[in-house]
Amino acid sequence: MPGSAIVHAAVFTAGAVIGGGIAAVITNQKHQKTAPVIPPPQTPSPVIGLNTATKAPQISKDLTVASSLHPVLKYGNPGPIPDTLIRKAYVAAYDRRLRHPSWTAEHLTKASLTRPGSEPSGDRANSKFVEDESVPSQFRARLQDYFKSGYDRGHMVPAADAKSSQEAMDETFLLSNIAPQVGDGFNRHYWAYLEEWCRRLTGTFQDVYVFTVPLYLPRKESDGKWRVNHEVIGNPPNVSVPTHFAKVVLTTKPKTPSTPEILEVATGAFVLPNAIIPDEAPLESFVVPVEAVERAAGLTLFSEEIKRGSKHICQSTKCEVVVRRFDDAQKNARKAIGAPKSK
């Protein structure tokens, strides 16, 4: 399929299901003049987290409280229970049914992405993928699920966003931060370009908040009906393969140098198919309204006040990825010197 056709198909699939693109967002926000008030960040209460001292699961009292809401729950609350995971570099909610995150959230700044001078910093060469023992075993994604699956173990929070320490980077390799992604042409290429674009935002904005959301979007089939079809990997089948992935960003910077307390806020959402995407695909072709991602995922990412009062991110900065084929350069270098392939 030609590159333009792939992009068109991707935009149609996402757009038909979850709403229009950038024009709708910009048009809707032209009349908004008032800068929104950003509420102080709230740390979600973990249901199951990781005790960093003992590496043992922590069970929240929330389960006891929920079970007392009605007499029918006296012997237990069936849920759904999101495993809210508080890490060094991110927060995530793990979906027990799908065996991957419902969402991940991170706060990026220029300082957070800078390797500390004299302090030990994270090196992905020292990290390895591991199962997350803080998730109950029957709901856990497992290493063997990905073995010969045809999919990459795709980071929802990139390792490159967690260089502050080796522990922070190691936490990005927990399988509770991983979802199956098409490798060549997506995880190793266009998705990586988008992750790098998010990091580059810290050069323009004071604070960058990034939410990554796996999605399951329906397609219209030959009988005219819409259906969600997705693969499940593992033997027995265990980990679901998302049809799409969303990156949603919120950025802030002082409105003027003389008024640092007044922040200009920008937001934007991008939905990409879990498929090969040509390098030349324009990033703006994947723009959708934030509300569309919220509806599709069943989440509330930002308040209505934030969404009404913010600019679109593509009005505040250039929405354009930088193509960097590091993997191809490494392959060519190995061929040139006859070196063995890395594992």
Side-chain angles (χ1 to χ4, degrees), residues 37-330:
V37 176
I38 301 180
Q42 296 179 351
T43 303
S45 300
V47 173
I48 294 186
L50 187 65
N51 185 322
T52 55
T54 64
K55 302 296 182 183
Q58 293 177 304
I59 308 299
S60 170
K61 293 180 180 179
D62 291 349
L63 293 180
T64 304
V65 173
S67 299
S68 65
L69 292 177
H70 192 281
V72 75
L73 300 177
K74 65 182 294 184
Y75 294 110
N77 178 15
I81 298 168
D83 298 327
T84 306
L85 308 171
I86 312 297
R87 307 302 191 195
K88 296 288 186 183
Y90 64 94
V91 175
Y94 180 79
D95 191 311
R96 294 182 172 191
R97 182 172 59 96
L98 302 174
R99 314 292 201 265
H100 62 61
S102 297
W103 54 264
T104 63
E106 39 181 336
H107 176 204
L108 304 180
T109 64
K110 191 176 293 187
S112 75
L113 296 175
T114 303
R115 287 179 178 269
S118 59
E119 298 293 326
S121 56
D123 184 346
R124 68 179 298 145
N126 298 324
S127 298
K128 62 180 181 179
F129 291 100
V130 294
E131 297 174 11
D132 190 342
E133 294 183 0
S134 71
V135 174
S137 59
Q138 69 268 37
F139 305 124
R140 198 177 297 165
R142 303 186 184 281
L143 290 170
Q144 62 263 32
D145 294 329
Y146 287 86
F147 182 66
K148 292 186 177 181
S149 69
Y151 292 95
D152 279 7
R153 291 168 291 196
H155 285 71
M156 298 296 93
V157 173
D161 292 2
K163 294 180 178 178
S164 59
S165 69
Q166 190 61 49
E167 183 181 0
M169 183 162 286
D170 288 347
E171 288 179 340
T172 69
F173 281 81
L174 290 166
L175 290 189
S176 55
N177 180 50
I178 302 299
Q181 291 186 326
V182 169
D184 191 37
F186 186 71
N187 179 50
R188 302 170 215 166
H189 297 109
Y190 206 92
W191 183 252
Y193 310 154
L194 178 55
E195 292 173 331
E196 197 266 340
W197 176 81
C198 291
R199 289 190 289 273
R200 282 192 287 118
L201 292 176
T202 61
T204 303
F205 301 97
Q206 177 177 286
D207 294 283
V208 178
Y209 298 89
V210 182
F211 294 82
T212 303
V213 185
L215 293 173
Y216 293 81
L217 302 182
R219 295 180 60 181
K220 192 173 185 179
E221 298 186 353
S222 56
D223 60 1
K225 296 181 179 180
W226 293 82
R227 295 183 177 89
V228 177
N229 294 308
H230 70 274
E231 188 175 349
V232 183
I233 61 173
N235 186 21
N238 192 45
V239 181
S240 296
V241 181
T243 64
H244 293 72
F245 291 91
K247 284 283 188 189
V248 183
V249 298
L250 183 150
T251 63
T252 69
K253 64 179 179 180
K255 206 169 186 66
T256 66
S258 59
T259 57
E261 72 283 357
I262 301 177
L263 298 179
E264 178 180 293
V265 181
T267 58
F270 306 84
V271 172
L272 281 63
N274 190 9
I276 296 172
I277 298 175
D279 285 350
E280 63 272 17
L283 180 56
E284 290 193 20
S285 67
F286 300 106
V287 171
V288 300
V290 172
E291 296 90 340
V293 175
E294 291 179 323
R295 288 197 303 272
L299 303 173
T300 301
L301 296 169
F302 310 132
S303 69
E304 291 302 318
E305 185 179 18
I306 291 291
K307 286 181 284 191
R308 285 196 304 269
S310 61
K311 288 185 175 181
H312 192 273
I313 190 65
C314 296
Q315 291 178 301
S316 296
T317 191
K318 183 177 287 189
C319 286
E320 184 177 85
V321 298
V322 175
V323 175
R324 295 182 177 178
R325 286 269 178 168
F326 293 122
D327 59 332
D328 289 350
Q330 291 170 351

